[in-house]
Amino acid sequence: MSTMSDRTVLLLSGPNLNLLGEREPDIYGSATLDDHLAGATAAATARGLTLEHVQSNHEGELVDAIHDARGRCAGIVVNPGAFTHYAWAIHDALAAFDGPIVELHLSNPAAREPWRHTSVVAPVAAGTIAGFGAAGYRMAVEAVADLLDR
Ligand code: CA2
């Protein structure tokens, strides 16, 4: 039987985010995913939270990670990458998660190509942090912490 942790937060990173720091620094910055993880972990520790991280380029693996968080993690921060815009299986998995969910983007998809303006994750998230680059990782963890402390 799994044990619910009221202080563990899952950070989920979708496809291609493992390439951060290698290409497109003008859009996504020069920091690597490990750098963002370090920032998010520091923010989590400061709020008495433990951060877990899963990155995958595969939709089903992200769905599995969300299922694994059920009854075990208190909240989720998710940057679904391009899955944001069409992956209904991720929407459905998140809808079956009980705690607060914060959607996170480095860039501001609303200010980019029209196909990025739709998010299938937004309807199951408490809110979205987008366009603040690396600072968004700290802000998203803060947002989950605030929701948990309510
Ligand atoms: O702004 C974000 O965080 C995004 O979720 C990033 C996704 C994009 O499809 C979303 O619309 C917005 C793409 C991540 C791709 O990251 C790369 C990093 C380095 C090189 C190529 C892609």
Side-chain angles (χ1 to χ4, degrees), residues 14-25 27-28 79-85 104-109 112-113 115-116 130-131 137:
N16 298 307
L17 290 167
N18 55 309
L19 297 180
L20 285 172
E22 290 181 26
R23 292 188 50 203
E24 305 202 67
I27 300 173
Y28 299 120
N79 183 344
F83 285 152
T84 304
H85 312 298
L104 168 66
H105 300 286
L106 286 159
S107 67
N108 179 4
R112 299 180 63 193
E113 303 95 319
W115 63 268
R116 296 187 200 271
Y137 280 81

Side-chain angles (χ1 to χ4, degrees), residues 38-104:
T41 301
T45 303
R47 295 294 295 261
L49 297 169
T50 301
L51 198 78
E52 288 183 5
H53 180 232
V54 173
Q55 188 278 329
S56 179
N57 297 318
H58 305 278
E59 183 175 357
E61 286 185 5
L62 294 167
V63 169
D64 286 344
I66 296 163
H67 291 179
D68 187 56
R70 293 177 71 228
R72 200 177 60 75
C73 294
I76 293 178
V77 173
V78 56
N79 183 344
F83 285 152
T84 304
H85 312 298
Y86 63 92
W88 287 104
I90 290 177
H91 163 106
D92 286 350
L94 289 170
F97 179 79
D98 275 336
I101 295 162
V102 173
E103 179 183 358
L104 168 66

